[in-house]
Amino acid sequence: MEESGSPPFRKLHFPVGLWINSPRKHFAKLGARWPSAASVKSTTSSDAASLPEAPSSVPSSLSHSTPSLAPPSPSPSPAFLRPRPANQQSRAKRLSHLFLRGRSNSDRDCAIGEREREIWAHSATPSSHHYLPPASSNAPGLVKIYGDALSSGANYRSLLANMHSTSRQLIQQVITRYTERERENESEDTALQKYFPEDFLLCDVIGKPIQQPDGAIKWQTECRRSVASWECPLQLVDMWRPKDDFERRFEIQRLDEYEREEKEKERERERDGESYQGVRWRRSRVSSGGGPEEERGHRGRNTELRRSISDMNLSLRRRQGNVSNDPRRSGNAPNGQDRKNIVSMIATEGGEVTGSRSGGGETDRRTRAAEEEKDTCDLEVMSQSLILPPTDRPYFLLLQGYDQSKDFVLYIMAGHTHVFGRKPTFREREMDRERERKGKRPLKVDTYLSAPDLLVRHLLIRRDAAVPEQPRGQALAHPFRGGPVTLNGAPLYREAVLKPGDLLGLGSHFLFLYRDPRVTPAPPLALPPPWQDDMPTSYSPGGMTDRQEMLRLYLGSTESLLRFQAKHADALLQEIILKNSSPDSGGGALAPAYLLSLMTDYASKHLDPAILPQLLLKAANQIKGIVWDKIKEFGDKHPTQNSAEADVELPPPSMQKLSSDLQPLMFWMSNATELLNFFQVKVEAMEKEWEFEVPGDPVLSADMDTCSEALAQLDDVIMHTFQQCVYHLTKTLYSLLPALLDTNPFSSEEKKKGKAGAKDRSGNEGQGDEEEDISSLPPTVAGLVEVYRCSLQLSREACLSPPLTSQTFGYLFFFTNTSLLNTLLERDSLFSWSRAVQIRTNLDLVLDWLQGAGLGDIASEFLKKLSVTVNFLCIPKTRLIQSSWSSLQEEHPLLSPSQLHHLLTHYKLGPTRAPPSSWAPLLGTELGGDIFESFLDHPPLILPNETPRLDLNQPIPSPELMKEVTRLRTFLWGLDQDELPANQRTRL
């Protein structure tokens, strides 16, 4: 096959063997395929030697058979550019001239040499319109960038550039100039549009200015080509100049508009049959990896260089084989032998070698040339398919892809993190840039895949330094939210360990095998069984006997586990809430919280992450609805006295009846507290899983809003149940507290009543230690203590959390202290030593019982001011008279000046004895304050934020819960069986 730029054999007068092995031919062929250093991607530049109307720039002293430095152009108008005449020094530095210094013997070259020199002599002076310094000069030059891509109606922008300024740099300068001008013209409130260099490209345009009838000058474009981002425009101008009567200029255009126009032009050429060879040449480059995309940059040049060397070696090998296999032509070839007389040798599949002389006609020669070219392409493809995997780092072997022309066989994990995704759209790129400007930089994608069902960031792999807690050879696979990923055939929703031999599926098209050559010996492949994808439940399938045995083991397992499918989540939630909505349901005090925690835990580990927020909100709404009904039912039994019924005083209910009615509210307050703690842990874990997600993702924000709403619903449940319990307990206390101030514990009548009450209570069965302690108390004190005892029993039966129990009794003691103190200050008849001793005795009896019940610390803290006031009144009269205002105020700092003055003023010293002068307040003492305590100063309710008491890592804690879990497992198994045909169901 004769190549363009190769001299005819008979005109060189070289032996065939010498020509084949000549290094001159080796480099000549390399030069024919090596693109120009300044225009590798050029689609309009062409060598003058291959164009009859563009004379060569090489003097006649050099060989005019020098091969072209640029590939043949597919442009429909390739004759508008020709090499610019350069000085002798720069021409001598070219690669082809280093090996072709002798004068050519070609008759054709001698015939056209004089004509070329005359033409170049007349056209050597460049146009003043495009004057630029030569390539050897380092002085900057002026470049005019035309186009209105940035601003409609703009003409051109002049830029100062040097020989090494790339097109990307010039585009950046144009954007900077335009942005600065817009910033000067616009006001501060106006938001300027952001431009990015990668959205534009520089075009090398050849044309001429045409004068219109109205006198205006209009530019007429003849041809254009895109300038790669790494190409230097000044070097292009220095190396290639337009044909006579044509001019060059550079235009800036939008990338998307340019690509759309080029596609339309190519479709027109294919439809009209024009420039078919150019289209086919470009397609062959794309299919072999060169590609016309400007993004390839220098990598594209290196790829073309390697491919050219490969083609050259294959051609040499075939030619050497032809000569060595035919001894008649290896040593006896005449000097004037033509290339058409060379024997073409092609090895067939059977190992036979067929030869044919090429003198049979033009048709046979073309057929052999086409076969030789096809064989060369096949060998090149085969050589590219011989890939050796790396030995020092992990890689992903493609088992199934989407587009064979774009997918690679191996994807090497070069760093410690690797992100799979797809190329973002324009809008997605803008969103990423906006996040970067806000300081939220998303992860960079390392491997772009071509499937349309992938996310921009689909899967993150971390290894070694990125996961120091994992052993060497194990990595972590983290799917991004919403991206379908499978690990060994099972859906992967959250971060999991990735071991060598595991199979990774991305979307519905890509399947990879993960390998780490550093792990020896190589582990076996993790091939999933075929039934795993279609398995309706997590029960292990197999034979009927095996399924029955596995089902029995699962139903009787004490493991804290409740498996279910996402489609059964609503049915399971309803079953848990309806069958465990009251304290006497049989599952225990914390049955709803425990069962819902099992359900939430399984969903957070094995189901789609989008299910968890909705599940939390549905559970919270169900609980809130039930609690609202319980509060309404309780209000009907214990109505609150309103203003219309103020004259009719309602009798206080018995403490036993009140305790029974408060039990459902305390039950749900306890369960809501445990669920709140457990849900908070799950929400925090869910936020931690979002560590690598795109910041500000609206889907994640919506999920967080849903979780926050669920937690707020549980907060409302706790606060309303707490309010109802405390309100009705304090309402009962209010009717019992005054007796503590009026009862004389030392009277014989009270002792007789106490003994009678003890006999009545001794006949009752099932009384505890607290009941025995109450039996020895006076009746008035015992009635008050009974409220505290029933409240403590309620909290214990409901398994109320210790922080919430402390706050409940703290509020009861606050009410006791405020109510008794205000009553004491209001009744000045009690301001005597004798009455104060009685009050102190009754108060000590209550405090002693509370201390024995484990509530002594809380009671001492909230009843402190009442105790201080009673202690002040218990001071002996003789000592009190000798005390001064300053000493009394120092000894009783909890009493305000107004309260202390009120006590001293109304203290009963005697019927005719006035208060001593030492009790008078000091000058400047503020006595205008209120002497009564406010009920609004109660301690606030602090919702607990502690570690959940429900430990799901332990076995099921009680037989009652075990029975309920087994029932739910059977219920879910029944739902699965109802969806199967009758012949596939498993019987217990």
Side-chain angles (χ1 to χ4, degrees):
M1 178 178 178
E2 186 173 349
E3 303 194 26
S4 63
S6 299
F9 285 78
R10 60 185 179 183
K11 293 184 179 181
L12 291 177
H13 305 289
F14 286 158
V16 176
L18 179 59
W19 170 253
I20 292 176
N21 296 303
S22 172
R24 176 179 177 184
K25 171 60 180 175
H26 186 91
F27 282 94
K29 183 174 178 60
L30 177 61
R33 288 181 173 264
W34 200 339
S36 170
S39 58
V40 174
K41 299 295 182 180
S42 174
T43 59
T44 59
S45 301
S46 177
D47 187 11
S50 61
L51 302 174
E53 58 268 52
S56 173
S57 62
V58 183
S60 58
S61 60
L62 301 177
S63 172
H64 287 281
S65 61
T66 302
S68 171
L69 293 179
S73 172
S75 173
S77 303
F80 291 101
L81 285 179
R82 62 185 181 187
R84 176 180 175 178
N87 53 39
Q88 190 69 19
Q89 181 180 0
S90 63
R91 182 168 61 249
K93 291 182 179 180
R94 297 184 180 177
L95 179 64
S96 59
H97 293 180
L98 294 177
F99 299 94
L100 302 176
R101 294 182 179 272
R103 188 173 181 86
S104 172
N105 294 325
S106 173
D107 298 337
R108 177 180 57 84
D109 297 341
C110 293
I112 67 173
E114 293 298 331
R115 182 171 56 88
E116 285 186 351
R117 282 194 295 273
E118 292 178 1
I119 294 176
W120 281 110
H122 289 86
S123 61
T125 303
S127 174
S128 59
H129 181 73
H130 293 284
Y131 174 76
L132 286 168
S136 59
S137 173
N138 293 326
L142 195 62
V143 179
K144 292 182 179 180
I145 306 297
Y146 291 80
D148 56 353
L150 286 173
S151 176
S152 59
N155 188 10
Y156 67 88
R157 175 75 62 176
S158 298
L159 302 177
L160 198 63
N162 54 33
M163 298 299 295
H164 304 289
S165 298
T166 63
S167 65
R168 175 62 64 88
Q169 295 173 352
L170 296 182
I171 293 174
Q172 181 64 50
Q173 292 185 37
V174 174
I175 293 176
T176 303
R177 294 275 189 88
Y178 174 77
T179 305
E180 292 176 352
R181 189 186 65 181
E182 290 295 320
R183 187 178 292 109
E184 294 175 357
N185 298 335
E186 297 292 340
S187 61
E188 296 181 357
D189 300 337
T190 305
L192 297 178
Q193 185 177 1
K194 301 295 183 179
Y195 297 100
F196 301 94
E198 54 267 22
D199 296 334
F200 300 88
L201 58 80
L202 199 64
C203 291
D204 188 359
V205 182
I206 302 300
K208 62 176 66 176
I210 305 298
Q211 188 171 4
Q212 302 297 320
D214 56 356
I217 302 298
K218 182 180 179 181
W219 176 266
Q220 180 180 352
T221 301
E222 296 293 339
C223 59
R224 68 174 182 178
R225 79 171 188 91
S226 61
V227 181
S229 60
W230 46 267
E231 289 186 274
C232 303
L234 290 189
Q235 292 185 12
L236 294 177
V237 173
D238 182 64
M239 181 172 294
W240 301 97
R241 64 187 301 268
K243 189 180 177 182
D244 292 341
D245 299 332
F246 289 94
E247 295 180 1
R248 157 194 271 125
R249 75 177 190 179
F250 293 100
E251 295 181 359
I252 183 172
Q253 298 185 8
R254 288 189 175 272
L255 179 60
D256 51 356
E257 296 179 359
Y258 177 84
E259 292 178 347
R260 183 174 62 255
E261 293 175 0
E262 288 298 316
K263 289 180 180 178
E264 292 177 358
K265 291 180 181 179
E266 184 170 342
R267 284 196 295 267
E268 292 178 0
R269 287 196 296 266
E270 291 180 347
R271 183 173 57 253
D272 300 339
E274 298 179 1
S275 187
Y276 176 75
Q277 294 296 332
V279 174
R280 186 177 61 180
W281 176 78
R282 285 197 302 273
R283 287 183 174 176
S284 64
R285 291 193 61 193
V286 172
S287 62
S288 60
E293 294 91 345
E294 300 298 337
E295 297 178 356
R296 296 184 181 271
H298 297 280
R299 184 177 64 178
R301 292 187 293 173
N302 297 335
T303 304
E304 294 167 2
L305 174 59
R306 292 193 298 269
R307 186 169 65 253
S308 300
I309 296 176
S310 175
D311 292 344
M312 177 187 64
N313 291 336
L314 289 173
S315 301
L316 291 178
R317 188 179 299 112
R318 286 195 303 271
R319 290 173 179 172
Q320 290 173 356
N322 294 343
V323 174
S324 60
N325 291 337
D326 194 348
R328 296 173 298 176
R329 284 170 167 74
S330 61
N332 301 326
N335 293 339
Q337 185 178 14
D338 197 349
R339 182 174 181 178
K340 292 186 292 184
N341 294 327
I342 300 176
V343 179
S344 174
M345 310 296 291
I346 301 178
T348 61
E349 295 182 358
E352 300 178 358
V353 178
T354 60
S356 62
R357 299 186 180 274
S358 53
E362 185 69 17
T363 303
D364 296 339
R365 185 170 63 86
R366 291 182 178 180
T367 302
R368 287 193 301 272
E371 293 178 354
E372 183 179 358
E373 181 180 1
K374 180 180 178 181
D375 183 61
T376 303
C377 296
D378 293 341
L379 291 176
E380 179 180 355
V381 172
M382 291 174 60
S383 63
Q384 292 178 355
S385 302
L386 300 177
I387 302 175
L388 292 177
T391 59
D392 58 343
R393 61 194 63 213
Y395 60 91
F396 300 89
L397 178 63
L398 181 66
L399 302 181
Q400 176 181 316
Y402 178 75
D403 190 345
Q404 187 176 1
S405 62
K406 298 179 181 180
D407 300 336
F408 293 94
V409 178
L410 291 181
Y411 293 89
I412 301 175
M413 189 175 180
H416 295 281
T417 60
H418 197 90
V419 178
F420 289 93
R422 61 165 173 80
K423 286 189 176 181
T425 61
F426 177 78
R427 178 176 177 81
E428 291 168 341
R429 287 199 305 268
E430 290 295 326
M431 295 176 62
D432 287 345
R433 289 166 184 156
E434 184 65 25
R435 295 187 184 102
E436 291 181 6
R437 284 190 289 268
K438 295 180 180 179
K440 302 177 180 179
R441 186 179 183 87
L443 290 177
K444 179 184 177 183
V445 179
D446 299 284
T447 297
Y448 291 106
L449 301 177
S450 56
D453 60 341
L454 299 183
L455 301 180
V456 177
R457 294 167 185 85
H458 199 91
L459 178 66
L460 168 65
I461 307 295
R462 296 186 295 153
R463 66 175 178 92
D464 297 348
V467 282
E469 67 276 5
Q470 294 293 328
R472 185 178 180 84
Q474 287 189 0
L476 291 181
H478 178 89
F480 287 91
R481 179 64 183 275
V485 178
T486 59
L487 179 61
N488 298 326
L492 182 66
Y493 298 113
R494 291 164 186 83
E495 192 170 71
V497 176
L498 182 65
K499 300 182 293 296
D502 286 346
L503 297 179
L504 270 176
L506 276 68
S508 57
H509 301 282
F510 282 93
L511 183 63
F512 296 99
L513 172 66
Y514 176 71
R515 280 298 193 187
D516 192 345
R518 303 171 299 173
V519 178
T520 54
L525 301 183
L527 296 177
W531 44 260
Q532 188 163 354
D533 292 339
D534 300 330
M535 183 172 55
T537 64
S538 299
Y539 313 136
S540 297
M544 182 64 68
T545 305
D546 295 337
R547 290 201 301 268
Q548 290 177 347
E549 183 63 24
M550 294 300 296
L551 177 60
R552 292 191 184 97
L553 292 177
Y554 170 68
L555 294 179
S557 173
T558 59
E559 182 183 3
S560 298
L561 178 63
L562 189 61
R563 300 190 184 104
F564 65 96
Q565 299 184 65
K567 58 185 177 181
H568 297 154
D570 293 341
L572 177 59
L573 179 61
Q574 292 288 341
E575 187 71 14
I576 292 176
I577 295 295
L578 294 179
K579 296 299 178 62
N580 297 273
S581 60
S582 61
D584 55 355
S585 299
L590 296 177
Y594 184 82
L595 297 175
L596 290 175
S597 297
L598 286 180
M599 182 179 181
T600 304
D601 183 67
Y602 184 82
S604 65
K605 294 178 180 179
H606 300 91
L607 299 183
D608 192 339
I611 297 178
L612 182 60
Q614 297 297 328
L615 179 60
L616 298 183
L617 182 59
K618 290 178 181 179
N621 287 332
Q622 290 275 0
I623 294 174
K624 186 176 180 179
I626 292 178
V627 170
W628 260 228
D629 293 339
K630 297 293 183 182
I631 292 177
K632 182 178 179 181
E633 181 181 348
F634 182 85
D636 295 339
K637 295 180 180 180
H638 302 273
T640 302
Q641 185 177 7
N642 52 33
S643 58
E645 302 173 352
D647 297 337
V648 181
E649 185 176 354
L650 297 177
S654 65
M655 193 59 212
Q656 296 297 332
K657 185 176 186 306
L658 180 63
S659 176
S660 176
D661 293 339
L662 285 177
Q663 191 176 8
L665 300 183
M666 193 73 73
F667 169 80
W668 278 113
M669 180 167 60
S670 177
N671 281 273
T673 303
E674 294 303 322
L675 281 176
L676 178 63
N677 292 330
F678 190 83
F679 285 3
Q680 285 175 341
V681 172
K682 290 301 178 183
V683 171
E684 292 173 0
M686 184 173 63
E687 287 184 292
K688 187 177 180 181
E689 293 177 357
W690 297 347
E691 177 183 1
F692 303 103
E693 298 288 345
V694 177
D697 190 340
V699 176
L700 303 184
S701 301
D703 286 349
M704 183 51 60
D705 293 341
T706 303
C707 294
S708 300
E709 185 179 355
L711 298 180
Q713 299 284 13
L714 293 179
D715 290 347
D716 291 343
V717 170
I718 297 173
M719 287 189 292
H720 281 81
T721 51
F722 178 85
Q723 179 185 9
Q724 290 294 321
C725 291
V726 168
Y727 172 75
H728 288 280
L729 288 174
T730 54
K731 183 179 177 182
T732 305
L733 282 175
Y734 183 76
S735 62
L736 298 174
L737 287 176
L740 192 68
L741 303 177
D742 298 331
T743 302
N744 183 5
F746 307 109
S747 65
S748 58
E749 184 179 355
E750 291 295 331
K751 291 181 180 180
K752 290 180 182 179
K753 291 180 181 179
K755 291 180 181 179
K759 290 180 180 180
D760 294 339
R761 285 188 291 267
S762 62
N764 298 331
E765 297 179 358
Q767 305 297 331
D769 295 338
E770 292 87 354
E771 193 71 31
E772 295 177 0
D773 295 340
I774 292 176
S775 63
S776 61
L777 297 176
T780 54
V781 177
L784 179 63
V785 173
E786 178 68 12
V787 177
Y788 298 136
R789 189 193 66 81
C790 290
S791 301
L792 182 61
Q793 183 178 358
L794 274 176
S795 62
R796 289 177 177 175
E797 290 177 353
C799 296
L800 194 63
S801 64
L804 209 55
T805 301
S806 300
Q807 294 188 72
T808 302
F809 280 94
Y811 196 93
L812 295 180
F813 295 148
F814 164 79
F815 180 83
T816 301
N817 175 83
T818 304
S819 180
L820 286 177
L821 182 58
N822 290 345
T823 304
L824 178 62
L825 293 175
E826 185 180 10
R827 298 169 59 183
D828 53 5
S829 60
L830 302 176
F831 295 176
S832 64
W833 179 85
S834 60
R835 298 297 299 271
V837 171
Q838 296 175 13
I839 297 173
R840 178 76 263 178
T841 302
N842 291 333
L843 187 59
D844 288 341
L845 291 175
V846 175
L847 291 176
D848 290 342
W849 185 92
L850 293 174
Q851 185 69 35
L855 302 173
D857 295 337
I858 304 175
S860 299
E861 179 182 355
F862 285 95
L863 297 176
K864 186 181 296 184
K865 195 164 188 176
L866 175 63
S867 298
V868 169
T869 304
V870 175
N871 291 340
F872 173 81
L873 297 176
C874 289
I875 297 176
K877 186 183 303 184
T878 56
R879 179 187 168 191
L880 187 62
I881 294 175
Q882 299 174 0
S883 302
S884 64
W885 172 270
S886 300
S887 61
L888 290 175
Q889 193 175 23
E890 183 178 355
E891 292 173 1
H892 304 85
L894 293 181
L895 294 175
S896 65
S898 59
Q899 290 174 340
L900 180 60
H901 183 261
H902 178 76
L903 292 173
L904 293 176
T905 303
H906 297 84
Y907 191 80
K908 307 301 180 181
L909 293 176
T912 59
R913 190 167 184 176
S917 59
S918 60
W919 289 2
L922 300 177
L923 294 177
T925 304
E926 179 63 37
L927 301 177
D930 192 359
I931 63 174
F932 299 109
E933 296 293 321
S934 174
F935 286 98
L936 299 178
D937 297 335
H938 61 82
L941 174 61
I942 302 176
L943 296 177
N945 186 12
E946 57 183 359
T947 303
R949 291 185 297 169
L950 303 176
D951 188 3
L952 301 185
N953 295 323
Q954 301 297 326
I956 300 175
S958 66
E960 294 81 9
L961 282 176
M962 180 65 200
K963 181 180 179 181
E964 186 64 19
V965 170
T966 303
R967 186 187 69 83
L968 291 175
R969 289 172 177 173
T970 307
F971 169 76
L972 291 171
W973 170 77
L975 295 179
D976 292 333
Q977 294 300 304
D978 293 341
E979 299 175 355
L980 297 177
N983 59 349
Q984 297 182 11
R985 297 177 182 177
T986 304
R987 297 181 180 179
L988 291 175

